[in-house]
Amino acid sequence: MTLLESVHEPADLTRLTPEELDRLSIEIRAFLVDKVTKTGGHLGPNLGVVELTIALHRVFDSPRDTLIFDVGHQAYVHKILTGRRDGFDDLRQQGGISGYPCRDESEHDHVENSHASAALSYADGLAKAYELRGERRSAVVVVGDGALTGGMCWEALNNIAAGTDRSVVIVVNDNGRSYSPTIGGVADHLAALRLRPGYERALEEGKRVLQGTPVVGKPLYAALHAAKRGIKDALSPQAMFEDLGMKYIGPVDGHDFESLESSLRRAKDFGGPVIVHAVTRKGNGYPLAENDELDQMHQTDPIDPVTGKPRKSKGTVWTSVFADELAKIGAEREDVVAITAAMLRSTGLAPFAEKFPERCFDVGIAEQHAITSAAGMAMAGLHPVVAIYSTFLNRAFDQLLMDVALHKQPVTVVLDRAGITGPDGASHHGMWDLSILGVIPGIHIAAPRDALTLREELREAVAIDDGPSVLRFPKATVGDDILAVERVGPVDILRRGETSDVLLVTVGSFAELGLAAADRLADQGIGVTVVDPRWVAPVPRELVDLAAKHRLVVTVEDSGRHGGFGWSLAALLRDSDVDVPLRDLGIPNEFHAHGSRDEVLVRLGLTAQDVARRVTGWASDLIGSHDQENAEQVDRALP
Ligand SMILES: Cc1ncc(C[n+]2csc(CCOP(=O)(O)OP(=O)(O)O)c2C)c(N)n1
Ligand SMILES: CC(=O)[C@@H](O)[C@H](O)COP(=O)(O)O
Ligand SMILES: [Mg+2]
């Protein structure tokens, strides 16, 4: 039996010798490489926290002490040590274990939200509750140097520092990288602290020397205090955390068990807010992840563990089309600048940054700042393009509403990973943007259906100079271009039905699905006109006239139904006194578990077959043109 097989719960770790701990680390790293190169996942981050996570579980008493991982993408080792080793064959797969902490999986898991920079706030709340209830428990957080660039961390630190008797242990997992090297003053300060590692050792050495002298009692303590002061001033740059009133321990070698455990025990015994600054190496022990110049191993697709080559090709993804067109626009318009929130490559800004380095800004994991900083740039005559994932825009809603739209500033926000994303689960699906952005006065939102319309609508967006414009597209391979048979205003007619039974309005990449459904319905004699609005906000008024010429309107969108495009079009028809029944298909407003994008869409009934079946039913019920027998025929006719 391997050591890894002998560890079923954290308590099993406490009996291991130093040699066994080192062996266990080797086994865990081999396990991570073996499993994650098969399933895909956050290989780099987790290889960097093997010793740290083992040490945390040896020093603290989870779940009595609450262990929280910021983002949570680096919790695989935690899952292995808390009895879920066997689940890694199905990591991030439908029905398998989540790639993030999951409360249903274990009492040791607490925070499922993978949005960065929130963990310290949880810890502050937990610690306040423990104090009120007289419970001697520690709230322990692992927060990365990247997550520490997020604003919520500093809101939390401001509060945590005030809780002098509350045990909040903040382990800064400092590997110097987010996706790519972490930027900004916080990162520079951590680097300064990292580069002066002698402080702790010198302090220990000073204590040892003094305790070996005949000096005792008060003179000894005075001498110790003087030594500490002198060493601290000489070796340790003024740690901003101490300025905040927090004890700072570090920098600590995050791969050395002895240093880690002694620091964590000191932190646990301190009984107040304390920072343990652990210096780790992302991807430690696996050269392909250690030397991750192209940010491929922060979150990897399934790859060959030796060569690092993807196990299957993804084809052309939406992001690469955006990347190419923005770089072209950048060459034509020097007022266009780009902003990323620590995700330059994964949001497609790398080609722009390579061509125009002075016009591309990485603000760290700080989407709120990104949006308002963009408003500032726009006020000064630039046209910023902020590229972020749809789900992360949630936290910057007020900035888009009040800092951009209120001032009618020309800022373009490009939302990648819009709609169902898949393996990253509920907090990553980009299903909220149409619902929350639709309320913003003067906003323009485009949902391209293919590469051609993405290029076209991106150009239209950066030409809008009287307010915010938004473009959204999914985490997927982009399909073939779908040519329109006619354009009515901004609306593309993709297919005219033999009869005007149904107007099927498809949003974005769902055009392909809508056309496939229309083909099936035509076989049943149901005439379907398929249109792509291209710009979904404001809802094109041309849809009112088109709806008035049909007997049923159906919308289908890769977005939450509540407040989505379907609801907005229904409101417009009502306001226009067009009394045509409308049915909307979209993502139910629930939290949807991980799986592949296609698997989740099947779960949600968002496939051509499902759409055809639903339309047949509605056509039969609402316009009486087809009986139930047709509905069954549609079923039989479909693969
Ligand atoms: C609000 C938000 N923006 C962006 C992301 C995407 N993201 C996930 S992990 C990560 C980098 C985290 O860096 P760090 O905190 O240093 O952790 P490490 O991966 O280095 O362990 C980013 C940007 C996110 N999860 N949340
Ligand atoms: C944890 C996080 O927010 C990302 O790393 C997430 O895994 C998205 O990955 P993709 O960039 O592959 O969509
Ligand atoms: Mg990091």
Side-chain angles (χ1 to χ4, degrees):
M1 177 193 288
T2 63
L3 275 172
L4 184 51
E5 288 165 337
S6 72
V7 173
H8 304 285
E9 57 179 10
D12 296 333
L13 296 168
T14 51
R15 57 168 168 68
L16 298 181
T17 65
E19 293 72 28
E20 287 172 329
L21 288 172
D22 289 338
R23 214 167 84 223
L24 177 62
S25 301
I26 293 167
E27 289 180 13
I28 289 177
R29 282 197 166 86
F31 176 88
L32 286 171
V33 171
D34 174 47
K35 299 297 183 186
V36 181
T37 55
K38 291 189 178 77
T39 61
H42 290 88
L43 185 53
N46 284 281
L47 287 169
V49 296
V50 174
E51 293 82 5
L52 175 57
T53 310
I54 294 171
L56 281 165
H57 277 293
R58 279 168 52 89
V59 172
F60 292 97
D61 176 22
S62 172
R64 174 167 177 72
D65 293 325
T66 314
L67 208 43
I68 299 174
F69 295 87
D70 195 287
V71 180
H73 65 303
Q74 76 292 55
Y76 296 2
V77 181
H78 164 76
K79 291 198 170 200
I80 291 167
L81 300 177
T82 51
R84 286 166 277 178
R85 182 183 67 245
D86 295 338
F88 275 78
D89 288 324
D90 303 317
L91 174 69
R92 296 159 47 93
Q93 316 298 306
Q94 177 147 285
I97 63 172
S98 164
Y100 301 91
C102 174
R103 298 165 67 87
D104 287 344
E105 287 177 20
S106 170
E107 62 177 349
H108 295 281
D109 289 10
H110 307 281
V111 175
E112 302 184 2
N113 177 19
S114 61
H115 291 199
S117 317
L120 294 181
S121 295
Y122 279 102
D124 178 52
L126 286 161
K128 284 170 178 169
Y130 297 157
E131 182 178 56
L132 275 176
R133 295 168 58 170
E135 297 176 1
R136 286 190 58 73
R137 302 168 66 176
S138 294
V140 185
V141 180
V142 175
V143 59
D145 54 295
L148 212 49
T149 59
M152 264 183 80
C153 284
W154 298 94
E155 296 169 25
L157 283 169
N158 184 44
N159 284 273
I160 291 168
T164 49
D165 298 328
R166 293 194 279 263
S167 176
V168 178
V169 177
I170 299 165
V171 181
V172 175
N173 173 32
D174 179 9
N175 54 30
R177 296 181 71 95
S178 296
Y179 272 66
S180 32
T182 303
I183 63 93
V186 171
D188 295 347
H189 185 75
L190 288 175
L193 293 174
R194 235 177 6 237
L195 295 175
R196 308 293 290 272
Y199 168 60
E200 287 294 322
R201 278 199 302 278
L203 198 60
E204 292 305 319
E205 185 58 19
K207 283 180 182 173
R208 193 184 61 74
V209 167
L210 280 167
Q211 280 155 351
T213 64
V215 178
V216 291
K218 276 191 176 178
L220 171 63
Y221 298 130
L224 274 172
H225 183 72
K228 181 173 178 176
R229 192 75 259 151
I231 290 166
K232 187 185 281 285
D233 293 345
L235 282 178
S236 165
Q238 194 51 47
M240 62 182 151
F241 303 113
E242 289 171 314
D243 289 346
L244 281 173
M246 303 192 65
K247 178 167 178 57
Y248 168 87
I249 299 174
V252 179
D253 178 348
H255 300 294
D256 176 80
F257 279 113
E258 189 181 349
S259 312
L260 273 172
E261 291 194 20
S262 74
S263 301
L264 291 172
R265 290 192 196 291
R266 285 173 56 204
K268 180 176 184 178
D269 297 343
F270 180 66
V274 54
I275 300 258
V276 177
H277 179 190
V279 180
T280 64
R281 183 174 175 80
K282 201 161 187 173
N284 188 301
Y286 183 54
L288 286 175
E290 287 185 345
N291 311 308
D292 184 20
E293 294 311 317
L294 296 178
D295 312 342
Q296 298 295 306
M297 302 302 278
H298 166 81
Q299 206 272 98
T300 180
D301 291 323
I303 55 172
D304 177 298
V306 175
T307 64
K309 291 199 181 325
R311 290 180 190 265
K312 59 183 178 184
S313 161
K314 284 196 285 192
T316 303
V317 294
W318 287 83
T319 314
S320 58
V321 177
F322 160 63
D324 180 63
E325 194 63 21
L326 183 67
K328 287 176 179 161
I329 292 170
E332 298 159 20
R333 290 207 19 205
E334 62 181 22
D335 63 318
V336 169
V337 294
I339 299 176
T340 177
M343 301 171 79
L344 183 83
R345 288 187 175 82
S346 60
T347 57
L349 293 185
F352 184 95
E354 278 148 31
K355 286 185 176 176
F356 316 107
E358 76 288 352
R359 289 160 51 193
C360 189
F361 302 89
D362 180 352
V363 297
I365 309 179
E367 287 81 3
Q368 294 167 311
H369 172 70
I371 297 293
T372 303
S373 168
M377 290 173 169
M379 284 180 175
L382 298 179
H383 191 116
V385 175
V386 183
I388 56 178
Y389 289 1
S390 166
T391 190
F392 302 139
L393 181 67
N394 296 353
R395 59 173 48 179
F397 167 73
D398 186 62
Q399 286 75 17
L400 195 58
L401 176 67
M402 293 302 178
D403 295 326
V404 177
L406 177 67
H407 301 89
K408 295 185 173 55
Q409 290 306 308
V411 171
T412 296
V413 183
V414 175
L415 299 180
D416 198 337
R417 275 61 171 182
I420 292 298
T421 51
D424 287 293
S427 59
H428 259 76
H429 297 311
M431 58 178 279
W432 320 99
D433 55 85
L434 293 187
S435 303
I436 58 177
L437 301 185
V439 304
I440 296 180
I443 197 164
H444 301 265
I445 305 175
R449 63 172 181 270
D450 53 29
L452 189 65
T453 47
L454 194 167
R455 294 176 188 275
E456 185 182 61
E457 289 160 29
L458 178 60
R459 287 182 175 275
E460 291 169 6
V462 297
I464 292 172
D465 59 8
D466 64 352
S469 53
V470 175
L471 217 68
R472 71 181 314 257
F473 48 79
K475 178 179 184 178
T477 300
V478 64
D480 296 337
D481 288 342
I482 300 171
L483 302 180
V485 295
E486 183 186 352
R487 178 164 288 181
V488 179
V491 177
D492 277 352
I493 313 286
L494 306 182
R495 181 192 201 282
R496 286 199 181 284
E498 293 300 313
T499 57
S500 300
D501 293 328
V502 180
L503 177 67
L504 179 57
V505 189
T506 63
V507 172
S509 63
F510 273 12
E512 188 177 353
L513 172 158
L515 287 167
D519 287 344
R520 290 161 171 75
L521 290 160
D523 294 344
Q524 309 308 316
I526 298 175
V528 181
T529 301
V530 183
V531 301
D532 168 15
R534 297 188 331 106
W535 289 87
V536 293
V539 177
R541 299 201 60 81
E542 290 77 3
L543 288 177
V544 176
D545 300 338
L546 280 164
K549 294 171 184 159
H550 289 80
R551 305 167 71 195
L552 167 66
V553 178
V554 177
T555 62
V556 59
E557 59 196 294
D558 190 6
S559 186
R561 285 187 64 211
H562 193 104
F565 171 76
W567 286 29
S568 302
L569 177 56
L572 178 62
L573 296 182
R574 270 197 311 277
D575 294 349
S576 310
D577 297 327
V578 173
D579 185 18
V580 177
L582 182 148
R583 294 293 178 270
D584 66 286
L585 293 169
I587 304 171
N589 279 77
E590 297 154 17
F591 295 113
H592 299 288
H594 57 277
S596 75
R597 170 174 160 84
D598 289 343
E599 285 170 337
V600 179
L601 291 174
V602 167
R603 274 193 343 232
L604 301 178
L606 291 173
T607 66
Q609 175 170 336
D610 292 308
V611 171
R613 185 180 302 121
R614 299 294 300 275
V615 173
T616 303
W618 288 324
S620 165
D621 297 345
L622 292 168
I623 55 179
S625 59
H626 302 279
D627 58 23
Q628 188 48 35
E629 196 273 333
N630 268 308
E632 282 141 22
Q633 272 186 2
V634 167
D635 259 345
R636 281 196 300 275
L638 298 174

